[in-house]
Amino acid sequence: MRVVFLDIDGVLNSDRFFAEHPWPDGASWWSAAAIDPAAVQRVNALVAQTDAVVVLSSSWRKRASLDELNELLASRGLARPVIDVTQSLYRSVDGVRLTRGDEILAWLAAWSGPMVEAFVALEDEEALGAVEPRCVRVDSLIGLTEGDVERASRMLLG
Ligand SMILES: [Mg+2]
């Protein structure tokens, strides 16, 4: 199994997207208005090319249930539902601040489904610690690009 750990802010949206799409009056941040359908299509392309599953690492996972997030993402064109979200970890028992990378590693350690042969994290700004070598850094000014998808695809298909 191949896994794409997906951030939302700065990846499925961007400064450019918000500049080109005026914010609807009264829309909540955690809504379809903040998801760029073009970026979602790039995730679809990555998933199709690599037969990967998507796990959300975005802080959006703390705002809505997996079903609600899938409904929202499907409304913006996501072809295959997200299978899970990473755990929320803050500090280790000895008080060390944990990163989104630690949350990804914890998900992988807890996963009991098919063996994960490769994974990649699409992330714009969060520190990933030990997962950094598996990260495709996305530029939040423009969001997920075709070049990012190519890099992620190469990392997944190795
Ligand atoms: Mg982000």
Side-chain angles (χ1 to χ4, degrees):
M1 190 172 90
R2 300 182 186 95
V3 184
V4 175
F5 292 95
L6 179 65
D7 182 27
I8 293 181
D9 291 322
V11 176
L12 294 189
N13 58 38
S14 61
D15 290 3
R16 184 164 72 186
F17 173 71
F18 291 125
E20 291 171 355
H21 297 82
W23 190 253
D25 278 348
S28 139
W29 179 260
W30 296 277
S31 70
I35 307 277
D36 178 358
V40 172
Q41 287 308 320
R42 292 186 191 109
V43 173
N44 287 342
L46 176 62
V47 163
Q49 279 167 32
T50 60
D51 193 28
V53 298
V54 175
V55 173
L56 275 186
S57 56
S58 163
S59 60
W60 283 48
R61 71 196 196 282
K62 299 171 187 176
R63 294 285 169 169
S65 69
L66 182 58
D67 285 349
E68 289 165 338
L69 290 165
N70 269 322
E71 199 174 314
L72 186 65
L73 290 165
S75 79
R76 299 304 256 177
L78 191 70
R80 238 189 258 180
V82 167
I83 66 157
D84 202 0
V85 300
T86 55
Q87 303 166 43
S88 295
L89 305 173
Y90 299 96
R91 283 175 200 285
S92 66
V93 279
D94 41 3
V96 178
R97 187 184 171 274
L98 296 172
T99 68
R100 202 166 274 191
D102 294 309
E103 295 174 333
I104 287 171
L105 292 176
W107 187 91
L108 289 165
W111 174 247
S112 58
M115 193 192 76
V116 175
E117 53 189 291
F119 69 93
V120 67
L122 304 179
E123 172 64 53
D124 65 320
E125 64 176 359
E126 287 282 327
L128 291 182
V131 170
E132 192 63 42
R134 305 299 308 170
C135 176
V136 169
R137 279 285 161 199
V138 175
D139 181 348
S140 64
L141 296 177
I142 54 176
L144 189 67
T145 65
E146 284 177 21
D148 296 330
V149 166
E150 273 169 38
R151 278 192 293 153
S153 180
R154 264 185 265 127
M155 285 168 78
L156 286 171
L157 298 174

